Amino acid sequence: SALLEKKMIFKGLTVNKEDMNKLMLTPLIHCPLPGGSALITFEEAEVAQRITDMREHTVELSCGELQELDQCRVRVQAVPMDMLLPSALEIRLTQSSRSIIVSDLPSLDISKEALLDKLELFFSKTKNGGSEVESREFLEDSHQVVLTFTQDGVVGPLIERGHIQVPIGKGKYKIKISPCMSGDISNLQLQRSRCPRTVLLLGIPDVLSQESMRDALEIHFQKASRGGGEVDHLDYVPAGRTGVAVFVEDTG
């Protein structure tokens, strides 16, 4: 009940019948970052573990930008990057009685609105097996179209046909007709997961420019004498600002 509503499009190819009710999730996590923080990803998980175990780090800064001192030090806190990921997901699916999904659409040099007009005109005619179209929606993520009719009893025969030739412009194109399924999440279980190679640095004061601070942090944490190692990626968010980090599946 605490989750936000979100529209999702599921795409895939089912090869075996036993896989019909299985769903594989690929994480794409957007995580807010506070000001005065940095997110550092090392090439080796052992380095990240070592850095978080040490907890507090004193980073020497080359302060040419600060005229009073030649050098200064800042203390930063290193904490693990934990997040919640789905461990189990059940979806209750319902087939729409008035909507179909139109796919295998040709790539033509016409606007989306023109393509939707052509499809609506074709499927609104009873001789083509359709009826009056109530709404149409272009699904950007999958290059498919959802057509919704005003009457029941239209989608069944269209789905049974599977494919249909539709005139668009000067040509005729074979497009696919599929049932439109809507789903509600009936069960979602989350588990805490730790990013093995990524560390969150907190408490970084705003004493250098963004680029200089990023360079200073990377130099410090790549030195083995300070518990560090090779840095794969580092992003720094200055105090007073916020950022968003995007986490994807680690395929390395």
Side-chain angles (χ1 to χ4, degrees), residues 101-227:
I101 291 181
V102 179
S103 57
D104 292 349
L105 297 170
S107 297
L108 301 173
D109 191 20
I110 60 174
S111 67
K112 293 171 188 172
E113 283 301 314
L115 177 61
L116 290 172
D117 289 342
K118 298 286 186 184
L119 292 173
E120 180 177 352
L121 181 62
F122 179 87
F123 283 100
S124 64
K125 296 178 179 178
T126 54
K127 68 177 183 179
N128 296 326
S131 73
E132 183 182 350
V133 175
E134 181 180 277
S135 65
R136 74 267 178 99
E137 181 184 3
F138 189 88
L139 304 178
E140 297 281 355
D141 291 348
S142 58
H143 196 68
Q144 298 174 347
V145 171
V146 176
L147 294 177
T148 301
F149 300 97
T150 58
Q151 301 175 12
D152 289 327
V154 178
V155 303
L158 287 173
I159 292 170
E160 286 181 10
R161 294 174 70 172
H163 292 82
I164 192 169
Q165 294 276 350
V166 177
I168 304 176
K170 296 181 180 179
K172 275 193 172 184
Y173 302 91
K174 186 179 181 180
I175 64 174
K176 184 179 179 181
I177 302 172
S178 306
C180 182
M181 310 294 292
S182 59
D184 294 314
I185 294 177
S186 57
N187 181 31
L188 173 61
Q189 298 176 23
L190 301 173
Q191 67 179 11
R192 188 170 295 279
S193 180
R194 177 163 296 179
C195 297
R197 298 190 298 118
T198 301
V199 174
L200 179 62
L201 304 176
L202 299 171
I204 304 172
D206 189 16
V207 292
L208 294 179
S209 68
Q210 188 168 353
E211 185 177 352
S212 296
M213 181 63 79
R214 188 188 297 117
D215 290 343
L217 291 170
E218 185 166 351
I219 290 170
H220 176 89
F221 284 102
Q222 71 181 359
K223 291 184 177 180
S225 60
R226 289 163 178 165

Side-chain angles (χ1 to χ4, degrees), residues 40 42 44-57 76-80 197-201 217 220-229 231:
I40 181 168
F42 297 96
E44 301 293 337
E46 294 80 3
V47 178
Q49 183 65 54
R50 205 160 52 232
I51 292 299
T52 54
D53 287 345
M54 294 170 67
R55 185 71 179 181
E56 187 172 275
H57 298 262
V76 300
Q77 303 291 321
V79 297
R197 298 190 298 118
T198 301
V199 174
L200 179 62
L201 304 176
L217 291 170
H220 176 89
F221 284 102
Q222 71 181 359
K223 291 184 177 180
S225 60
R226 289 163 178 165
V231 174

Side-chain angles (χ1 to χ4, degrees), residues 1-6 84 185 188 190:
S1 60
L3 296 175
L4 299 175
E5 284 193 9
K6 180 174 176 58
L84 292 174
I185 294 177
L188 173 61
L190 301 173

